[in-house]
Amino acid sequence: MGSGHLTNPAKKINLVRIAHVYYKHENIEKAKQFMEDFGFVETAQIGKKTFYRGYGTEPFVIAVEASTETEFGGAAFVVESEEDLELATKTLPKECKATDVYNLDTPGGGKAVTFYDPVDGFPFHLVYGQTPVEPRDPGFPTLKVNYPMEKNRGPNEFQRFKKRPAPVHKLGHFGMCVTDFAKCYDFYTTYFNFHPSELVHNDEGVNKTVFFRLNRGDELVDHHCFFFFEGPKMHVHHSSFETHDFDAQVLGHDWLRHQGYTNCWGVGRHVMGSQIFDYWFDPSGFILEHYVDGDLLDMREPTHHTKAAPDNLHVWGECCLKVCLF
C-alpha cells in the first residue's frame, strides 16, 4: 500500500478524538447566520474568529473567521498527552512545517501544534489540555415509538415536536480530496494512530478512498473521523456534525430548507458507517453535514475492502446536486 519513502517513527502520535474545525469566510455575517440555523451555539468571539459549541463537552466544535479569502482552516484532533505535541514537532517530516508547541487563544485554552499536509498543504491541528465545558440540555423529548406489533405509548400519550434547527452534539468527521492518495495514506498511517475502517478501490484494484477511525484498542470509536479520496485538485469535501436522532435531523432539514439554504444530499442512509446523513451548502459553498446513528467500532473489526460504486455510498436518499458526490 505504502510508497516506502517515509521513515517509520519509533512512536506514533496518539490521537484521542476529533475536536473542531476552522473556516474562513469573506461574508462573515452570512456565515454566522448559517451557524445558528445549522444548530450551533455561539460561545465566544476573539479577534476575527467566532466560536461555536455543541451540546456536548467540547469547548467549541467550529470556528468561523472573517477574512478576505474563503477557505478551509483545517481540523483539530485531541492528542493523548503533551508529549504527543512535542513528538509532532520533532518527528513530522520537514515538508509538514510543524510549528513549535503554542498556547491556544480559544475557548477552553490548552496547547497546540499546527502542521501542513505534506502532499497538498492543508492545515492540520493537534491540541491538548483544553478545559471541557458542562453539557447543555437541548430539551429533546423522550420518545416512545409505536411499532405495528409493539405499542410503547400509553393511552392518550402523544409525540409532539418543536420546529427549530437540529442541535449539534459534536464534530464527527471531516473529509478531503487529495491529489496523491498513496502518499497521503502512507503519511497518516505512519505518523498517527489512524486505522482504515474502509478502503475503496477502482476497477484496477487500486485504493483511492479511505475512511479512517482511530486505533484506540478496545475503546469504541466512530467508524470514521477522517476520510480522503483522490482527485485532480485538493479541497475540503465536508465536515460532519452529530445531532440527536432522526426527528431532530429532519426538523433541522426543514428549518434549513425554510431559511432558503441549498441542500446538497439527503436525507439518506450511508452504507459505510451506516449514518443517516443530511448535507447542506453554507453561503460560502462549503458542505456541512448533520448525521445520526453512526457505527461504533473497536480494533476487533477488520478493514473492509470495497469496489467504488454509487450504491456503496448510500442505500437510500437521492442526491440533489451532482457536485456533492465524491
Side-chain angles (χ1 to χ4, degrees):
M1 179 71 209
S3 63
H5 298 307
L6 295 177
T7 300
N8 287 329
K11 181 182 177 183
K12 290 188 177 185
I13 299 162
N14 275 309
L15 309 178
V16 177
R17 65 184 180 275
I18 193 169
H20 51 261
V21 285
Y22 295 93
Y23 287 87
K24 296 180 180 181
H25 296 269
E26 293 179 68
N27 192 328
I28 192 63
E29 293 307 318
K30 284 188 176 181
K32 289 166 68 173
Q33 183 60 55
F34 181 84
M35 293 296 103
E36 293 184 14
D37 289 326
F38 197 79
F40 300 109
V41 175
E42 183 176 338
T43 186
Q45 185 165 336
I46 302 173
K48 294 183 177 181
K49 292 189 178 95
T50 305
F51 297 86
Y52 296 85
R53 62 168 293 184
Y55 62 85
T57 59
E58 294 290 344
F60 71 101
V61 296
I62 191 170
V64 296
E65 180 178 356
S67 176
T68 57
E69 297 181 352
T70 294
E71 60 184 3
F72 180 59
F77 281 77
V78 175
V79 297
E80 187 82 56
S81 68
E82 193 168 345
E83 291 180 2
D84 288 290
L85 294 182
E86 296 290 350
L87 189 65
T89 67
K90 296 173 182 177
T91 63
L92 290 176
K94 65 179 186 302
E95 294 85 358
C96 292
K97 302 176 183 177
T99 67
D100 293 332
V101 178
Y102 61 91
N103 293 323
L104 281 167
D105 184 19
T106 66
K111 297 182 178 182
V113 167
T114 294
F115 69 89
Y116 297 86
D117 176 84
V119 176
D120 290 303
F122 57 87
F124 204 111
H125 313 282
L126 309 173
V127 301
Y128 178 74
Q130 287 190 293
T131 302
V133 294
E134 288 296 319
R136 298 177 66 251
D137 179 9
F140 296 115
T142 300
L143 302 183
K144 298 178 181 179
V145 178
N146 283 340
Y147 299 102
M149 302 299 292
E150 179 186 340
K151 307 301 181 182
N152 295 301
R153 283 200 302 281
N156 307 315
E157 290 186 350
F158 306 100
Q159 306 276 53
R160 296 293 183 263
F161 302 91
K162 177 183 177 182
K163 291 181 179 292
R164 63 174 179 174
V168 164
H169 173 229
K170 69 170 187 175
L171 172 64
H173 63 264
F174 83 109
M176 299 293 301
C177 175
V178 300
T179 59
D180 191 320
F181 176 88
K183 287 184 179 180
C184 283
Y185 185 92
D186 278 357
F187 170 71
Y188 288 103
T189 55
T190 297
Y191 288 92
F192 302 92
N193 59 324
F194 286 117
H195 182 82
S197 295
E198 314 272 352
L199 282 166
V200 184
H201 58 265
N202 60 16
D203 291 342
E204 290 73 41
V206 179
N207 292 324
K208 294 295 182 180
T209 300
V210 64
F211 292 85
F212 278 134
R213 69 180 183 269
L214 294 179
N215 180 351
R216 302 288 301 166
D218 294 335
E219 180 182 334
L220 288 175
V221 298
D222 289 332
H223 173 274
H224 59 278
C225 56
F226 177 33
F227 77 88
F228 55 79
F229 61 98
E230 186 170 284
K233 183 179 180 181
M234 182 274 291
H235 63 273
V236 62
H237 188 268
H238 72 271
S239 296
S240 181
F241 299 87
E242 185 180 41
T243 186
H244 180 63
D245 63 7
F246 186 60
D247 282 295
Q249 185 176 37
V250 178
L251 284 164
H253 177 99
D254 277 359
W255 183 272
L256 290 165
R257 180 168 55 87
H258 285 300
Q259 306 311 311
Y261 297 111
T262 302
N263 180 246
C264 172
W265 188 16
V267 178
R269 171 77 82 164
H270 279 310
V271 176
M272 293 177 279
S274 302
Q275 301 99 326
I276 301 176
F277 61 80
D278 192 25
Y279 296 86
W280 288 84
F281 290 105
D282 77 4
S284 295
F286 293 118
I287 302 171
L288 273 64
E289 176 193 14
H290 285 130
Y291 78 92
V292 299
D293 194 29
D295 294 331
L296 296 175
L297 308 180
D298 61 24
M299 288 307 293
R300 292 174 297 176
E301 184 66 21
T303 299
H304 296 252
H305 299 265
T306 307
K307 182 181 176 181
D311 286 346
N312 292 334
L313 288 177
H314 66 296
V315 66
W316 59 266
E318 185 176 358
C319 184
C320 296
L321 293 171
K322 297 297 182 184
V323 70
C324 75
L325 293 175
F326 290 35

